[in-house]
Amino acid sequence: AKVVTKAKKSIDDLADKLVEIYAQREITEGFAFLPDQPWQQEFEDAFPYEETEDQLQATAEIKESMERPVPMDRLLAGDVGFGKTEVAMRVAFKAVMDGKQVAVLVPTTLLAEQHYDNFVNRFENFPINIEVVSRFNTAKDITNICKRLKEGKIDIMIGTHKLLNDKFVYNDLGLLIIDEEQRFGVKHKEKIKHLKNTVDVLTLSATPIPRTLHMSLIGIRDLSVIETPPKERQPIQTFVTSQNNMVIKEAVMNEVSRGGQVFYVYNKVESIDEKYLELKKLLPDVNIAYAHGRMTQRELENIMTDVIDRKYDMLITTTIIETGIDISNVNTLIVEDA
């Protein structure tokens, strides 16, 4: 009875706090961004692929929210590979064109580095300064970045939860983009909530948690959805079979021969090295690595970086791959004992 009473009180307190935060947002005067500046169309036309209708619709909805005089809090939901990042880049460009700084918050160091590379490539023809903060930065790097950020010499700041440290002071932050907010801890989320009262916030998620989705559906947060896959994207084919080494070998060799990579999900840390040896014997010509959550952060990131750099054809891994790694070249996923 005591546990139930305590839980009910916690729920009531959380509900009160949420209502207070979102009520405060409604009456807080935010920055109303100007309509698209001349370079905006040029930036969007430089996208090398054909946008989907959903991407265009989501971009228009977010821009409309940004142009209102109240702080935006919008969730952009869409499957992996459906183009959420491109939408985020377009609205980030809009914010920078209006003289504001943009912060992009991601859950892992690897994702921070990947986003940084993607942003730098996409913005290369425009005079926009982009920086990244992760564990790869030295203390001297961080000091220099903080100084330039405060002086307004950095337009787009990408990083992990380190960005929530008080030493990162912005000259004029106008937009916060959060990738997979549910992967941040409670303390980080509290800091994010306070930021939400003063700046426009766009949250990207392929799998929004029920509370976030519910808040969007009842109107506390705005919601944009990308449901249409990019043109020529192949539908996902799923096969459920009994354990069969010849089927595994055929699937892996087909993928590797076309220049792709393979994830093999094996969720038993204690025997993952045995599974590695077993698969290495079955596939002697395939470069294989394995990764799991009991490795040190540095070991794990080194392996994942090598996989991204195509040094391995196949990665045997636990469900740790759910923690946000963008590997576009993995087209075959094998799950043992799903």
Side-chain angles (χ1 to χ4, degrees):
K2 281 181 180 177
V3 170
V4 171
T5 303
K6 188 177 178 182
K8 282 181 178 177
K9 186 178 184 309
S10 295
I11 291 167
D12 288 341
D13 289 347
L14 177 64
D16 287 344
K17 189 180 281 188
L18 281 172
V19 170
E20 184 184 333
I21 286 170
Y22 285 93
Q24 187 65 39
R25 283 181 64 81
E26 288 300 314
I27 60 171
T28 300
E29 190 172 335
F31 179 79
F33 286 88
L34 294 170
D36 287 356
Q37 302 299 297
W39 275 357
Q40 186 76 34
Q41 192 59 50
E42 189 179 331
F43 177 78
E44 294 181 9
D45 288 344
F47 185 52
Y49 307 102
E50 186 179 337
E51 306 96 331
T52 63
E53 285 298 320
D54 285 358
Q55 276 182 302
L56 294 173
Q57 177 69 25
T59 304
E61 289 170 355
I62 297 164
K63 286 178 180 177
E64 186 184 344
S65 293
M66 290 171 70
E67 290 169 15
R68 292 182 199 147
V70 292
M72 173 181 76
D73 187 8
R74 183 173 284 273
L75 169 66
L76 176 59
D79 206 347
V80 175
F82 275 33
K84 298 187 297 295
T85 303
E86 172 60 22
V87 173
M89 287 180 182
R90 292 184 180 198
V91 298
F93 188 90
K94 179 182 177 70
V96 173
M97 286 298 101
D98 214 349
K100 292 288 185 177
Q101 290 172 300
V102 177
V104 182
L105 195 58
V106 300
T108 65
T109 292
L110 275 172
L111 208 51
E113 296 292 328
Q114 285 183 296
H115 270 317
Y116 174 70
D117 290 340
N118 290 336
F119 269 72
V120 167
N121 289 335
R122 186 70 175 86
F123 285 74
E124 65 179 346
N125 295 324
F126 299 89
I128 292 174
N129 295 315
I130 304 170
E131 262 303 347
V132 63
V133 167
S134 69
R135 71 162 185 81
F136 294 135
N137 298 102
T138 64
K140 188 177 179 182
D141 289 337
I142 297 289
T143 301
N144 181 41
I145 287 170
C146 288
K147 181 174 180 289
R148 289 167 54 222
L149 190 66
K150 191 172 183 180
E151 292 171 352
K153 293 177 180 175
I154 296 173
D155 301 306
I156 299 176
M157 187 75 246
I158 300 169
T160 59
H161 61 273
K162 284 179 178 284
L163 285 187
L164 298 173
N165 192 299
D166 290 336
K167 64 184 172 187
F168 289 94
V169 179
Y170 296 83
N171 181 273
D172 192 2
L173 182 63
L175 176 65
L176 172 64
I177 298 171
I178 308 169
D179 197 357
E180 302 293 354
E181 184 179 4
Q182 71 271 20
R183 301 204 182 278
F184 291 95
V186 175
K187 286 183 179 177
H188 300 144
K189 285 182 181 174
E190 286 300 315
K191 188 75 184 276
I192 290 167
K193 278 177 195 167
H194 290 297
L195 274 173
K196 283 183 177 181
N197 281 336
T198 54
V199 299
D200 284 12
V201 179
L202 175 65
T203 302
L204 315 177
S205 184
T207 53
I209 56 174
R211 193 182 82 190
T212 301
L213 195 56
H214 180 252
M215 286 162 65
S216 300
L217 294 174
I218 64 174
I220 293 178
R221 303 175 80 170
D222 294 322
L223 174 67
S224 293
V225 181
I226 300 179
E227 294 180 292
T228 312
K231 198 173 181 180
E232 297 181 9
R233 180 186 170 108
Q234 298 297 314
I236 294 170
Q237 292 180 295
T238 303
F239 302 93
V240 180
T241 72
S242 56
Q243 187 79 11
N244 186 321
N245 281 347
M246 294 329 301
V247 171
I248 292 170
K249 185 172 183 176
E250 185 181 353
V252 172
M253 294 313 297
N254 283 344
E255 186 61 39
V256 172
S257 65
R258 70 155 204 95
Q261 291 171 292
V262 178
F263 271 163
Y264 191 109
V265 179
Y266 181 82
N267 211 29
K268 299 172 188 170
V269 176
E270 294 80 6
S271 54
I272 197 168
D273 52 344
E274 294 171 24
K275 177 56 67 174
Y276 166 79
L277 294 173
E278 179 189 320
L279 289 170
K280 194 66 189 160
K281 189 176 180 181
L282 179 69
L283 301 156
D285 299 326
V286 177
N287 290 325
I288 305 174
Y290 67 88
H292 55 77
R294 292 186 194 170
M295 291 177 163
T296 66
Q297 186 181 6
R298 189 174 291 276
E299 284 176 326
L300 200 54
E301 286 176 355
N302 286 342
I303 289 170
M304 293 312 304
T305 300
D306 286 343
V307 172
I308 292 164
D309 291 342
R310 308 292 307 278
K311 292 179 182 176
Y312 293 107
D313 304 310
M314 179 172 167
L315 177 70
I316 307 166
T317 176
T318 60
T319 51
I320 194 169
I321 55 166
E322 292 179 337
T323 56
I325 299 155
D326 176 23
I327 300 182
S328 57
N329 206 50
V330 174
N331 274 18
T332 298
L333 173 66
I334 300 171
V335 184
E336 185 171 322
D337 295 333

